[in-house]
Amino acid sequence: MRVLLVEDDIRVAIALETALRQHGHEITRATTASEALAAAPVDLVLLDLGLPDRDGIEVCRELRARSDVAIIAVTARAEERERVLGLRSGADDYVVKPFGMAELTARIEAVMRRTMRTAIPQPSFRVGGLEIDADARRVMVSGREVALTRKEFELLAALARRPGHAVTREQLLAEVWRTTWRGSLHTLEVHVASLRSKLQDSSYIQTVRGVGYRLRAQ
Ligand code: CA
């Protein structure tokens, strides 16, 4: 999993990074709020709330406003008010310093289980130069990994569950955005456009006029 580790205490950050790498995660580190907000999309953000340049709660809100990436807030303050604020600001869970790796790992697993509950039954799919590894949540184009947001990945995975078959827009909205509101159709179109451009070949995702989309099967 790709993890963005936002922590201004270098010693804590290095210890966490080492431990998370040992658990097989890929780590990007940020030491300030601005670095955190400028970072590439990841699967999980571990967000220290005590940052030097901005309030961590604001950073949390901003990250949440942009995407529904999994966020675990990390704080040195255990007060209940902080916890509530943290959860209202969009964090999926909370750990209080000092915490052990066993606790953090358990929280990460729980959060990812919740946020990935639409996980993909198919382990992998390949067509042309496109390769989707659903277990690792990785997408490769011509052997190079493409960084997708969580929604982009889920959209691609929803199409890859029925390669060659038209999937209706309503079904995609239901599976990826969990909504039946047709006002979200624009969001779907925007995600399809950005996926097509990231996959560098617009023929992978075909438009089925008046119906929805289809992933090329061969
Ligand atoms: Ca701090």
Side-chain angles (χ1 to χ4, degrees):
M1 217 164 51
R2 291 166 304 173
V3 180
L4 172 61
L5 175 58
V6 188
E7 172 60 74
D8 59 318
D9 183 330
I10 299 300
R11 264 185 301 179
V12 173
I14 289 173
L16 270 176
E17 177 172 358
T18 308
L20 289 167
R21 277 194 202 284
Q22 279 166 1
H23 280 80
H25 301 302
E26 234 172 77
I27 314 297
T28 306
R29 239 165 57 191
T31 53
T32 61
S34 36
E35 273 176 37
L37 292 168
V42 291
D43 305 301
L44 171 78
V45 181
L46 261 185
L47 176 63
D48 178 27
L49 294 182
L51 292 172
D53 54 338
R54 260 179 86 182
D55 182 354
I57 296 279
E58 276 175 45
V59 178
C60 189
R61 281 205 190 99
E62 198 161 326
L63 287 172
R64 175 56 71 236
R66 285 183 196 176
S67 81
D68 56 3
V69 63
I71 303 173
I72 296 181
V74 178
T75 183
R77 299 157 293 186
E79 291 86 18
E80 197 55 33
R81 209 175 83 83
E82 286 286 331
R83 302 172 76 92
V84 173
L85 267 178
L87 295 174
R88 275 197 195 143
S89 64
D92 296 289
D93 205 351
Y94 222 90
V95 283
V96 177
K97 286 180 184 174
F99 54 85
M101 259 324 275
E103 181 188 359
L104 181 61
T105 305
R107 302 259 176 166
I108 290 177
E109 281 168 8
V111 164
M112 294 318 287
R113 261 200 308 275
R114 282 206 300 275
T115 56
M116 287 161 76
R117 60 187 175 274
T118 53
I120 306 88
Q122 228 174 323
S124 65
F125 175 75
R126 188 192 287 250
V127 60
L130 171 66
E131 225 177 300
I132 304 166
D133 182 342
D135 278 340
R137 288 181 79 83
R138 277 203 165 141
V139 174
M140 317 281 276
V141 172
S142 310
R144 294 183 66 179
E145 188 173 357
V146 182
L148 299 183
T149 65
R150 205 159 88 215
K151 287 300 181 204
E152 286 166 355
F153 181 85
E154 285 179 12
L155 175 57
L156 185 58
L159 293 168
R161 279 193 285 268
R162 313 97 162 156
H165 293 265
V167 186
T168 66
R169 289 175 295 208
E170 289 73 16
Q171 186 145 15
L172 292 169
L173 286 179
E175 285 183 26
V176 180
W177 283 272
R178 295 176 198 102
T179 179
T180 52
W181 184 53
R182 289 181 56 89
S184 316
L185 284 175
H186 178 68
T187 306
L188 172 61
E189 283 159 20
V190 168
H191 279 75
V192 168
S194 99
L195 250 182
R196 278 180 174 151
S197 104
K198 286 186 179 179
L199 300 183
Q200 296 154 36
D201 179 347
S202 57
S203 79
Y204 288 127
I205 300 175
Q206 303 165 337
T207 302
V208 185
R209 223 166 278 278
V211 178
Y213 301 94
R214 171 175 59 215
L215 186 68
R216 213 177 87 196
Q218 50 188 305

